[in-house]
């Protein structure tokens, strides 16, 4: 009987393993926090991560994308939570508050890595110049959700004001967490508690706000 010969497996193509991407990100964030985002070069990141520039660009199109891709991932998760609850019978602002807390719960970790990325955003003038657009997208998800629930258009005053108020309160909580040595999931009840009074007031406004005619 002839011996069975196993042909060599062809190299895998396509997207690289996520673990390698996460490793590069972790090394880069550490450098950003110690040296500053603007002062950290791509060469320093690749040297510290032990990868070539070619390998780096397989995962990230730019240095800034190391920070932004997690933000985009988080915002997409927040939008999904709102979409999944848009036709539920609960009060609108209870659902918004639950989505805000739920989205953070999905990304925050015991090591505080998520908040480290937020610290990089807060400390970098270069990144903050683009941060407004990222947060604008976040607010638009809230405005669209409120508009759908109350028969309004997303650009109307009420949905935009609600979205702006929730965003301001949420951002204030995140900035307070920067003073916590190792912010993690245990802070989520604080976020829910801090948002509740504001959301209750906004719900009262939504309940009495006039609906557009027709």
């Amino acid at each position: 009987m002839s011996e069975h010969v196993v042909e060599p497996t062809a190299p895998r193509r396509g997207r690289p393993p996520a673990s390698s991407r996460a490793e590069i990100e972790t090394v880069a964030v550490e450098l950003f926090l110690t040296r500053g985002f603007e002062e950290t070069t791509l060469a320093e990141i690749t040297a510290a991560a032990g990868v070539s520039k070619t390998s780096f660009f397989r995962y990230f199109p730019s240095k800034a994308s190391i920070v932004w891709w997690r933000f985009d991932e988080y915002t997409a998760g927040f939008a999904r939570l709102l979409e999944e609850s848009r036709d539920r019978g609960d009060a609108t602002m209870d659902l918004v508050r639950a989505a805000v807390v739920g989205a953070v719960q999905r990304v925050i970790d015991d090591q505080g890595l998520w908040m480290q990325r937020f610290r990089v955003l807060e400390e970098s003038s270069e990144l903050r110049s683009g941060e407004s657009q990222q947060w604008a997208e976040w607010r638009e998800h809230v405005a669209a959700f409120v508009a759908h629930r109350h028969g309004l258009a997303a650009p109307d005053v009420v949905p935009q004001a609600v979205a702006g108020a929730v965003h301001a309160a949420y951002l204030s909580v995140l900035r307070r967490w920067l003073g916590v040595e190792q912010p993690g999931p245990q802070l989520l009840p604080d976020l829910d508690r801090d948002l509740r009074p504001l959301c209750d007031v906004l719900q009262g406004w939504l309940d009495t706000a006039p609906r557009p005619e027709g």
Side-chain angles (χ1 to χ4, degrees), residues 93 96 100 138-139 142-143 146 157-173 194-195 197-199 201-203 205:
M93 295 312 300
V96 170
V100 172
W138 189 95
R139 291 193 298 271
V142 178
V146 171
V157 170
V158 172
Q160 291 293 321
V162 169
V166 174
H167 170 247
Y170 174 43
L171 199 56
S172 177
V173 173
D194 289 340
L195 290 178
L198 172 65
C199 289
V201 170
L202 293 173
Q203 185 63 51
W205 186 35

mmCIF file of all heavy atoms in Angstrom, residues 93 96 100 138-139 142-143 146 157-173 194-195 197-199 201-203 205:
data_model
loop_
_atom_site.group_PDB
_atom_site.id
_atom_site.type_symbol
_atom_site.label_atom_id
_atom_site.label_comp_id
_atom_site.label_asym_id
_atom_site.label_seq_id
_atom_site.Cartn_x
_atom_site.Cartn_y
_atom_site.Cartn_z
ATOM 1 N N MET A 93 -36.028 58.105 27.094
ATOM 2 C CA MET A 93 -34.760 58.431 27.733
ATOM 3 C C MET A 93 -34.248 57.303 28.624
ATOM 4 O O MET A 93 -33.047 57.222 28.875
ATOM 5 C CB MET A 93 -34.880 59.733 28.528
ATOM 6 C CG MET A 93 -35.158 60.956 27.658
ATOM 7 S SD MET A 93 -34.069 61.102 26.202
ATOM 8 C CE MET A 93 -32.454 61.192 26.961
ATOM 9 N N VAL A 96 -32.353 55.423 26.016
ATOM 10 C CA VAL A 96 -31.104 56.104 25.677
ATOM 11 C C VAL A 96 -30.071 55.865 26.774
ATOM 12 O O VAL A 96 -28.906 55.522 26.494
ATOM 13 C CB VAL A 96 -31.339 57.618 25.479
ATOM 14 C CG1 VAL A 96 -29.994 58.358 25.374
ATOM 15 C CG2 VAL A 96 -32.172 57.867 24.226
ATOM 16 N N VAL A 100 -26.437 53.969 26.422
ATOM 17 C CA VAL A 100 -25.150 54.595 26.771
ATOM 18 C C VAL A 100 -24.366 53.688 27.715
ATOM 19 O O VAL A 100 -23.188 53.390 27.485
ATOM 20 C CB VAL A 100 -25.370 55.977 27.414
ATOM 21 C CG1 VAL A 100 -24.047 56.535 27.941
ATOM 22 C CG2 VAL A 100 -25.985 56.954 26.417
ATOM 23 N N TRP A 138 -21.904 60.292 17.081
ATOM 24 C CA TRP A 138 -22.530 59.709 18.276
ATOM 25 C C TRP A 138 -23.827 60.451 18.615
ATOM 26 O O TRP A 138 -24.868 59.838 18.867
ATOM 27 C CB TRP A 138 -21.535 59.790 19.431
ATOM 28 C CG TRP A 138 -21.911 59.055 20.684
ATOM 29 C CD1 TRP A 138 -21.530 57.792 21.034
ATOM 30 C CD2 TRP A 138 -22.701 59.545 21.776
ATOM 31 N NE1 TRP A 138 -22.037 57.471 22.272
ATOM 32 C CE2 TRP A 138 -22.760 58.524 22.754
ATOM 33 C CE3 TRP A 138 -23.364 60.748 22.021
ATOM 34 C CZ2 TRP A 138 -23.462 58.670 23.956
ATOM 35 C CZ3 TRP A 138 -24.066 60.897 23.219
ATOM 36 C CH2 TRP A 138 -24.109 59.873 24.162
ATOM 37 N N ARG A 139 -23.755 61.788 18.608
ATOM 38 C CA ARG A 139 -24.937 62.584 18.929
ATOM 39 C C ARG A 139 -26.041 62.385 17.901
ATOM 40 O O ARG A 139 -27.230 62.365 18.249
ATOM 41 C CB ARG A 139 -24.563 64.070 19.021
ATOM 42 C CG ARG A 139 -23.697 64.412 20.217
ATOM 43 C CD ARG A 139 -23.620 65.926 20.424
ATOM 44 N NE ARG A 139 -23.019 66.598 19.280
ATOM 45 C CZ ARG A 139 -21.713 66.821 19.135
ATOM 46 N NH1 ARG A 139 -20.858 66.397 20.069
ATOM 47 N NH2 ARG A 139 -21.245 67.456 18.078
ATOM 48 N N VAL A 142 -28.258 59.514 18.678
ATOM 49 C CA VAL A 142 -29.239 59.825 19.719
ATOM 50 C C VAL A 142 -30.374 60.663 19.144
ATOM 51 O O VAL A 142 -31.552 60.392 19.388
ATOM 52 C CB VAL A 142 -28.573 60.566 20.895
ATOM 53 C CG1 VAL A 142 -29.619 60.939 21.945
ATOM 54 C CG2 VAL A 142 -27.477 59.723 21.521
ATOM 55 N N ALA A 143 -30.024 61.682 18.369
ATOM 56 C CA ALA A 143 -31.044 62.560 17.791
ATOM 57 C C ALA A 143 -31.995 61.783 16.878
ATOM 58 O O ALA A 143 -33.218 61.987 16.915
ATOM 59 C CB ALA A 143 -30.376 63.702 17.018
ATOM 60 N N VAL A 146 -34.369 59.637 19.079
ATOM 61 C CA VAL A 146 -35.404 60.462 19.707
ATOM 62 C C VAL A 146 -36.425 60.926 18.673
ATOM 63 O O VAL A 146 -37.637 60.898 18.906
ATOM 64 C CB VAL A 146 -34.763 61.671 20.417
ATOM 65 C CG1 VAL A 146 -35.824 62.658 20.883
ATOM 66 C CG2 VAL A 146 -33.916 61.202 21.595
ATOM 67 N N VAL A 157 -35.028 70.991 16.772
ATOM 68 C CA VAL A 157 -34.414 71.488 18.008
ATOM 69 C C VAL A 157 -34.449 70.452 19.117
ATOM 70 O O VAL A 157 -33.441 70.218 19.800
ATOM 71 C CB VAL A 157 -35.125 72.780 18.466
ATOM 72 C CG1 VAL A 157 -34.651 73.165 19.866
ATOM 73 C CG2 VAL A 157 -34.857 73.916 17.489
ATOM 74 N N VAL A 158 -35.596 69.820 19.324
ATOM 75 C CA VAL A 158 -35.733 68.917 20.463
ATOM 76 C C VAL A 158 -34.774 67.725 20.378
ATOM 77 O O VAL A 158 -34.012 67.473 21.326
ATOM 78 C CB VAL A 158 -37.195 68.451 20.618
ATOM 79 C CG1 VAL A 158 -37.302 67.352 21.684
ATOM 80 C CG2 VAL A 158 -38.094 69.631 20.986
ATOM 81 N N PRO A 159 -34.749 66.960 19.287
ATOM 82 C CA PRO A 159 -33.796 65.839 19.229
ATOM 83 C C PRO A 159 -32.346 66.278 19.343
ATOM 84 O O PRO A 159 -31.539 65.606 20.011
ATOM 85 C CB PRO A 159 -34.080 65.199 17.862
ATOM 86 C CG PRO A 159 -35.462 65.604 17.521
ATOM 87 C CD PRO A 159 -35.620 66.977 18.098
ATOM 88 N N GLN A 160 -32.004 67.395 18.709
ATOM 89 C CA GLN A 160 -30.626 67.865 18.767
ATOM 90 C C GLN A 160 -30.243 68.322 20.174
ATOM 91 O O GLN A 160 -29.123 68.061 20.643
ATOM 92 C CB GLN A 160 -30.418 69.010 17.771
ATOM 93 C CG GLN A 160 -30.475 68.587 16.317
ATOM 94 C CD GLN A 160 -29.313 67.682 15.929
ATOM 95 O OE1 GLN A 160 -28.184 67.874 16.365
ATOM 96 N NE2 GLN A 160 -29.591 66.684 15.103
ATOM 97 N N ALA A 161 -31.170 68.984 20.854
ATOM 98 C CA ALA A 161 -30.890 69.450 22.212
ATOM 99 C C ALA A 161 -30.749 68.274 23.170
ATOM 100 O O ALA A 161 -29.874 68.276 24.044
ATOM 101 C CB ALA A 161 -32.002 70.390 22.677
ATOM 102 N N VAL A 162 -31.608 67.283 23.014
ATOM 103 C CA VAL A 162 -31.518 66.088 23.862
ATOM 104 C C VAL A 162 -30.171 65.392 23.645
ATOM 105 O O VAL A 162 -29.475 65.029 24.606
ATOM 106 C CB VAL A 162 -32.678 65.122 23.568
ATOM 107 C CG1 VAL A 162 -32.436 63.766 24.236
ATOM 108 C CG2 VAL A 162 -34.005 65.712 24.041
ATOM 109 N N ALA A 163 -29.803 65.210 22.395
ATOM 110 C CA ALA A 163 -28.535 64.540 22.085
ATOM 111 C C ALA A 163 -27.347 65.313 22.643
ATOM 112 O O ALA A 163 -26.409 64.725 23.206
ATOM 113 C CB ALA A 163 -28.387 64.380 20.576
ATOM 114 N N GLY A 164 -27.386 66.630 22.513
ATOM 115 C CA GLY A 164 -26.296 67.453 23.024
ATOM 116 C C GLY A 164 -26.185 67.388 24.542
ATOM 117 O O GLY A 164 -25.076 67.327 25.095
ATOM 118 N N ALA A 165 -27.329 67.373 25.223
ATOM 119 C CA ALA A 165 -27.315 67.333 26.684
ATOM 120 C C ALA A 165 -26.787 65.994 27.198
ATOM 121 O O ALA A 165 -25.983 65.942 28.130
ATOM 122 C CB ALA A 165 -28.725 67.592 27.226
ATOM 123 N N VAL A 166 -27.239 64.901 26.591
ATOM 124 C CA VAL A 166 -26.773 63.581 27.020
ATOM 125 C C VAL A 166 -25.281 63.435 26.756
ATOM 126 O O VAL A 166 -24.529 62.918 27.585
ATOM 127 C CB VAL A 166 -27.570 62.469 26.300
ATOM 128 C CG1 VAL A 166 -26.985 61.093 26.632
ATOM 129 C CG2 VAL A 166 -29.033 62.519 26.687
ATOM 130 N N HIS A 167 -24.847 63.920 25.607
ATOM 131 C CA HIS A 167 -23.419 63.832 25.277
ATOM 132 C C HIS A 167 -22.579 64.616 26.269
ATOM 133 O O HIS A 167 -21.537 64.133 26.733
ATOM 134 C CB HIS A 167 -23.180 64.359 23.864
ATOM 135 C CG HIS A 167 -21.735 64.520 23.531
ATOM 136 N ND1 HIS A 167 -21.149 65.745 23.313
ATOM 137 C CD2 HIS A 167 -20.735 63.613 23.423
ATOM 138 C CE1 HIS A 167 -19.869 65.596 23.060
ATOM 139 N NE2 HIS A 167 -19.584 64.317 23.129
ATOM 140 N N ALA A 168 -23.017 65.833 26.617
ATOM 141 C CA ALA A 168 -22.246 66.652 27.550
ATOM 142 C C ALA A 168 -22.129 65.979 28.912
ATOM 143 O O ALA A 168 -21.051 65.972 29.529
ATOM 144 C CB ALA A 168 -22.905 68.028 27.692
ATOM 145 N N ALA A 169 -23.228 65.389 29.382
ATOM 146 C CA ALA A 169 -23.197 64.715 30.676
ATOM 147 C C ALA A 169 -22.302 63.482 30.628
ATOM 148 O O ALA A 169 -21.509 63.226 31.547
ATOM 149 C CB ALA A 169 -24.615 64.327 31.089
ATOM 150 N N TYR A 170 -22.414 62.723 29.562
ATOM 151 C CA TYR A 170 -21.616 61.505 29.407
ATOM 152 C C TYR A 170 -20.131 61.828 29.349
ATOM 153 O O TYR A 170 -19.298 61.186 30.004
ATOM 154 C CB TYR A 170 -22.083 60.780 28.149
ATOM 155 C CG TYR A 170 -21.272 59.580 27.758
ATOM 156 C CD1 TYR A 170 -20.846 58.646 28.692
ATOM 157 C CD2 TYR A 170 -20.938 59.356 26.423
ATOM 158 C CE1 TYR A 170 -20.112 57.534 28.317
ATOM 159 C CE2 TYR A 170 -20.212 58.244 26.035
ATOM 160 C CZ TYR A 170 -19.797 57.342 26.991
ATOM 161 O OH TYR A 170 -19.064 56.243 26.622
ATOM 162 N N LEU A 171 -19.779 62.843 28.576
ATOM 163 C CA LEU A 171 -18.378 63.238 28.449
ATOM 164 C C LEU A 171 -17.826 63.714 29.790
ATOM 165 O O LEU A 171 -16.666 63.441 30.134
ATOM 166 C CB LEU A 171 -18.248 64.343 27.398
ATOM 167 C CG LEU A 171 -16.866 64.589 26.806
ATOM 168 C CD1 LEU A 171 -16.299 63.322 26.194
ATOM 169 C CD2 LEU A 171 -16.934 65.695 25.763
ATOM 170 N N SER A 172 -18.654 64.401 30.560
ATOM 171 C CA SER A 172 -18.235 64.856 31.877
ATOM 172 C C SER A 172 -17.909 63.676 32.791
ATOM 173 O O SER A 172 -16.921 63.704 33.534
ATOM 174 C CB SER A 172 -19.340 65.716 32.507
ATOM 175 O OG SER A 172 -18.991 66.110 33.819
ATOM 176 N N VAL A 173 -18.726 62.619 32.725
ATOM 177 C CA VAL A 173 -18.475 61.423 33.535
ATOM 178 C C VAL A 173 -17.171 60.761 33.102
ATOM 179 O O VAL A 173 -16.348 60.369 33.940
ATOM 180 C CB VAL A 173 -19.648 60.429 33.424
ATOM 181 C CG1 VAL A 173 -19.304 59.109 34.120
ATOM 182 C CG2 VAL A 173 -20.914 61.029 34.032
ATOM 183 N N ASP A 194 -25.576 58.892 37.373
ATOM 184 C CA ASP A 194 -25.341 60.278 36.982
ATOM 185 C C ASP A 194 -26.221 60.706 35.807
ATOM 186 O O ASP A 194 -26.604 61.877 35.708
ATOM 187 C CB ASP A 194 -23.867 60.472 36.612
ATOM 188 C CG ASP A 194 -22.953 60.410 37.831
ATOM 189 O OD1 ASP A 194 -23.453 60.605 38.953
ATOM 190 O OD2 ASP A 194 -21.752 60.153 37.652
ATOM 191 N N LEU A 195 -26.526 59.779 34.909
ATOM 192 C CA LEU A 195 -27.343 60.127 33.748
ATOM 193 C C LEU A 195 -28.844 60.163 34.072
ATOM 194 O O LEU A 195 -29.611 60.839 33.388
ATOM 195 C CB LEU A 195 -27.106 59.122 32.619
ATOM 196 C CG LEU A 195 -25.757 59.162 31.917
ATOM 197 C CD1 LEU A 195 -25.678 58.075 30.853
ATOM 198 C CD2 LEU A 195 -25.522 60.532 31.279
ATOM 199 N N PRO A 197 -30.944 61.509 36.481
ATOM 200 C CA PRO A 197 -31.694 62.756 36.690
ATOM 201 C C PRO A 197 -31.848 63.576 35.416
ATOM 202 O O PRO A 197 -32.924 64.132 35.151
ATOM 203 C CB PRO A 197 -30.855 63.499 37.738
ATOM 204 C CG PRO A 197 -30.040 62.448 38.406
ATOM 205 C CD PRO A 197 -29.751 61.430 37.340
ATOM 206 N N LEU A 198 -30.776 63.667 34.633
ATOM 207 C CA LEU A 198 -30.858 64.411 33.373
ATOM 208 C C LEU A 198 -31.862 63.769 32.432
ATOM 209 O O LEU A 198 -32.700 64.463 31.826
ATOM 210 C CB LEU A 198 -29.483 64.469 32.702
ATOM 211 C CG LEU A 198 -29.456 65.059 31.291
ATOM 212 C CD1 LEU A 198 -29.856 66.530 31.310
ATOM 213 C CD2 LEU A 198 -28.089 64.875 30.652
ATOM 214 N N CYS A 199 -31.799 62.459 32.303
ATOM 215 C CA CYS A 199 -32.710 61.768 31.393
ATOM 216 C C CYS A 199 -34.163 61.894 31.839
ATOM 217 O O CYS A 199 -35.072 61.976 31.009
ATOM 218 C CB CYS A 199 -32.308 60.296 31.265
ATOM 219 S SG CYS A 199 -30.768 60.061 30.325
ATOM 220 N N VAL A 201 -35.437 64.521 33.388
ATOM 221 C CA VAL A 201 -35.853 65.880 32.995
ATOM 222 C C VAL A 201 -36.117 65.950 31.498
ATOM 223 O O VAL A 201 -37.124 66.521 31.047
ATOM 224 C CB VAL A 201 -34.773 66.908 33.403
ATOM 225 C CG1 VAL A 201 -35.086 68.271 32.793
ATOM 226 C CG2 VAL A 201 -34.687 67.017 34.924
ATOM 227 N N LEU A 202 -35.236 65.365 30.713
ATOM 228 C CA LEU A 202 -35.408 65.383 29.259
ATOM 229 C C LEU A 202 -36.652 64.609 28.843
ATOM 230 O O LEU A 202 -37.343 64.994 27.886
ATOM 231 C CB LEU A 202 -34.164 64.799 28.577
ATOM 232 C CG LEU A 202 -32.878 65.621 28.713
ATOM 233 C CD1 LEU A 202 -31.689 64.856 28.143
ATOM 234 C CD2 LEU A 202 -33.022 66.973 28.026
ATOM 235 N N GLN A 203 -36.970 63.535 29.559
ATOM 236 C CA GLN A 203 -38.178 62.781 29.246
ATOM 237 C C GLN A 203 -39.415 63.632 29.489
ATOM 238 O O GLN A 203 -40.373 63.613 28.690
ATOM 239 C CB GLN A 203 -38.254 61.505 30.098
ATOM 240 C CG GLN A 203 -39.431 60.602 29.751
ATOM 241 C CD GLN A 203 -39.345 60.065 28.320
ATOM 242 O OE1 GLN A 203 -38.312 59.531 27.935
ATOM 243 N NE2 GLN A 203 -40.420 60.201 27.555
ATOM 244 N N TRP A 205 -39.584 66.817 29.203
ATOM 245 C CA TRP A 205 -39.642 67.767 28.088
ATOM 246 C C TRP A 205 -40.192 67.093 26.833
ATOM 247 O O TRP A 205 -41.054 67.656 26.140
ATOM 248 C CB TRP A 205 -38.242 68.327 27.836
ATOM 249 C CG TRP A 205 -38.185 69.408 26.805
ATOM 250 C CD1 TRP A 205 -39.132 70.366 26.564
ATOM 251 C CD2 TRP A 205 -37.129 69.655 25.878
ATOM 252 N NE1 TRP A 205 -38.727 71.194 25.549
ATOM 253 C CE2 TRP A 205 -37.505 70.783 25.109
ATOM 254 C CE3 TRP A 205 -35.904 69.039 25.638
ATOM 255 C CZ2 TRP A 205 -36.694 71.293 24.110
ATOM 256 C CZ3 TRP A 205 -35.089 69.565 24.649
ATOM 257 C CH2 TRP A 205 -35.472 70.670 23.890
#
